[in-house]
Amino acid sequence: MNPNKIPDIIVGRLPIYLRALQRMADRGLKTTSSQELGEHVGISAAQIRKDISQFGEFGKQGTGYSIQFLMDNLREILKIDQIWDVIVVGAGDMGSALVHYQGFQNRGFRVVMIFDSDKSKVGKKIGEFVVEDIVNMLEKIKSLNIKLAMLTVPAVAAQEVADKLVVAGIKAILNYAPVSLNVPMNVKVQYIDPSVHLQRMTYYL
Amino acid sequence: MNPNKIPDIIVGRLPIYLRALQRMADRGLKTTSSQELGEHVGISAAQIRKDISQFGEFGKQGTGYSIQFLMDNLREILKIDQIWDVIVVGAGDMGSALVHYQGFQNRGFRVVMIFDSDKSKVGKKIGEFVVEDIVNMLEKIKSLNIKLAMLTVPAVAAQEVADKLVVAGIKAILNYAPVSLNVPMNVKVQYIDPSVHLQRMTYYL
């Protein structure tokens, strides 16, 4: 299996499948079908079978998928059969919300540090963390070999901070700022964009 | 054009196309191709042509798409050729961040009120808003005929608040709480889930 051969759009659906499977497991279900999974995520059963079959044979004709087995395999494919350390840059409302967020548990991630450039925020406590000075960010990222960052700085500062993250060795940035980031090809960026989600719903109103 | 006939997965891609087109327009570009648009959003040119053609003929063979014309049409299809009022429920860090968020401008939305059940938060100012008591929420939503809500309450309270929103007439909920919501068929829910975005990137690490 060559990861470069799988289209990014398929990779992007795997976490959605995993989340739906987790919700089924939480409700006590043991097995599911591509049909049932499709109804939960709004994707056709045929598409789901095609997506999953890119990675191997995880279901049986007639009996469907073992939820736990499929979850274990998706976690391995997505490399979240380990816990990834993530830093937060920007100690405003959003950064603070991410430090307190309960939705990283059992999903493969933990916040390990939060940085800001504002001297009035540096040294203050947010949850169990003390806000660190952004001038020390490069050194800290390198020494802990951190690859993931969540960016919650103001829009005007986002590109400059992203450049620093790239220099420090960050390979994946989850960007909350409402701006497009320019990063090298080997660095991934995803955008948290509430407007996109709202627009998807107004279509139906 | 019957909106029920367009698969939800296609509808979900339109805001992504619109955002990419906006970024091109911001850079001064006037026209684009399905090929170029595809490179920006990580979706094949053929898929983009197929998606857009569901709604009409917006491009010309050989010359591609006028960015402004395609944006105008996508905005009309997504019903964001108007400004929608949105309420925020939950006046914690995330609610506060959404009140201050710059990314709703020119995207079809404006925050108009923020509610909380915590008496220590009610009456306090967040940005230009005074936090309103959740006991008045039903009446306020109805009197202003609001259809959209962003939910940033703790996970344990999310379903109860969602039920109240549905009774008040809300038809679309953007849920920041890391729990699945049960709502009637005629109410849409979208999830802001940073773990899903992070998982999509760890695949490549």
Side-chain angles (χ1 to χ4, degrees):
Chain A
M1 177 175 69
N2 180 345
N4 297 318
K5 284 194 174 170
I6 306 289
D8 183 59
I9 192 166
I10 294 180
V11 174
R13 286 195 285 260
L14 302 183
I16 308 284
Y17 299 158
L18 180 58
R19 182 174 63 187
L21 291 163
Q22 183 63 62
R23 285 172 184 172
M24 290 180 191
D26 291 345
R27 283 164 41 219
L29 297 176
K30 301 294 181 198
T31 60
T32 189
S33 63
S34 50
Q35 190 69 39
E36 186 182 47
L37 184 54
E39 282 162 18
H40 279 82
V41 297
I43 294 170
S44 75
Q47 184 71 64
I48 289 175
R49 281 194 298 273
K50 197 175 151 195
D51 286 356
I52 291 175
S53 69
Q54 304 271 331
F55 301 94
E57 279 297 323
F58 300 130
K60 284 182 195 144
Q61 193 104 37
T63 59
Y65 299 104
S66 153
I67 291 174
Q68 190 60 54
F69 181 70
L70 185 52
M71 283 173 62
D72 289 345
N73 277 283
L74 287 175
R75 286 207 185 100
E76 195 182 324
I77 291 165
L78 294 168
K79 302 200 184 106
I80 49 164
D81 50 350
Q82 56 176 298
I83 305 287
W84 292 86
D85 290 344
V86 187
I87 62 160
V88 175
V89 191
D93 293 328
M94 191 66 79
S96 182
L98 287 173
V99 165
H100 293 114
Y101 187 61
Q102 300 298 306
F104 297 127
Q105 283 162 16
N106 305 316
R107 306 286 295 281
F109 309 99
R110 73 172 162 218
V111 172
V112 293
M113 277 188 287
I114 179 163
F115 294 92
D116 206 292
S117 62
D118 181 345
K119 302 295 176 198
S120 73
K121 288 179 183 161
V122 171
K124 290 241 169 94
K125 278 203 94 171
I126 296 182
E128 59 180 304
F129 300 101
V130 174
V131 177
E132 311 233 12
D133 195 324
I134 205 166
V135 299
N136 303 319
M137 189 171 69
L138 186 141
E139 178 202 345
K140 298 251 179 176
I141 289 172
K142 284 194 167 174
S143 69
L144 293 170
N145 195 29
I146 290 166
K147 299 297 174 200
L148 295 160
M150 297 190 285
L151 191 54
T152 73
V153 301
V156 291
Q159 183 62 55
E160 187 191 332
V161 175
D163 293 343
K164 288 181 184 168
L165 291 170
V166 169
V167 170
I170 290 290
K171 296 297 180 202
I173 298 172
L174 185 55
N175 180 26
Y176 281 76
V179 291
S180 187
L181 297 179
N182 295 310
V183 297
M185 287 284 280
N186 66 334
V187 177
K188 294 281 169 187
V189 178
Q190 285 275 304
Y191 297 88
I192 294 279
D193 185 345
S195 293
V196 158
H197 293 273
L198 290 171
Q199 289 172 359
R200 181 174 186 161
M201 297 191 287
T202 49
Y203 173 82
Y204 295 98
L205 297 185
Chain B
M1 176 175 68
N2 179 345
N4 298 317
K5 284 194 173 168
I6 306 290
D8 184 60
I9 192 165
I10 294 181
V11 175
R13 286 195 286 260
L14 301 184
I16 308 284
Y17 299 158
L18 181 58
R19 182 173 64 188
L21 291 164
Q22 182 64 62
R23 285 172 183 172
M24 289 180 191
D26 291 345
R27 283 165 40 219
L29 298 177
K30 301 293 182 200
T31 59
T32 189
S33 62
S34 50
Q35 190 70 41
E36 186 182 46
L37 184 54
E39 282 163 17
H40 279 82
V41 297
I43 293 171
S44 76
Q47 182 72 65
I48 288 174
R49 281 194 298 273
K50 197 175 150 196
D51 286 355
I52 291 174
S53 68
Q54 303 273 329
F55 301 93
E57 278 299 323
F58 301 129
K60 285 184 192 138
Q61 193 103 40
T63 59
Y65 299 103
S66 152
I67 290 174
Q68 190 60 53
F69 181 69
L70 186 52
M71 283 173 62
D72 289 345
N73 277 283
L74 287 175
R75 285 206 185 100
E76 196 183 323
I77 291 165
L78 293 169
K79 303 203 183 100
I80 48 163
D81 49 352
Q82 56 176 299
I83 305 288
W84 292 85
D85 290 344
V86 187
I87 61 161
V88 175
V89 192
D93 293 329
M94 191 64 81
S96 182
L98 287 174
V99 165
H100 293 114
Y101 186 62
Q102 300 298 305
F104 296 127
Q105 283 163 17
N106 304 317
R107 305 286 296 281
F109 308 100
R110 73 170 162 221
V111 172
V112 293
M113 276 187 287
I114 179 163
F115 295 92
D116 206 294
S117 61
D118 182 344
K119 301 296 176 198
S120 73
K121 287 178 182 160
V122 171
K124 291 239 169 93
K125 278 202 95 173
I126 298 182
E128 58 181 302
F129 300 101
V130 174
V131 177
E132 311 233 12
D133 194 323
I134 204 166
V135 298
N136 302 319
M137 187 170 71
L138 185 142
E139 180 202 343
K140 300 251 179 179
I141 290 172
K142 284 194 167 176
S143 69
L144 293 170
N145 195 29
I146 291 165
K147 298 298 174 200
L148 296 160
M150 297 189 285
L151 191 54
T152 73
V153 301
V156 291
Q159 183 61 55
E160 188 191 332
V161 175
D163 293 342
K164 287 180 185 169
L165 292 170
V166 169
V167 169
I170 291 291
K171 296 297 180 202
I173 299 171
L174 184 56
N175 180 25
Y176 282 77
V179 289
S180 186
L181 297 179
N182 295 310
V183 296
M185 286 284 279
N186 66 333
V187 177
K188 294 282 169 186
V189 179
Q190 285 273 305
Y191 297 88
I192 294 279
D193 185 345
S195 293
V196 157
H197 293 274
L198 290 171
Q199 289 171 359
R200 181 175 185 160
M201 297 191 287
T202 48
Y203 173 82
Y204 295 98
L205 299 185

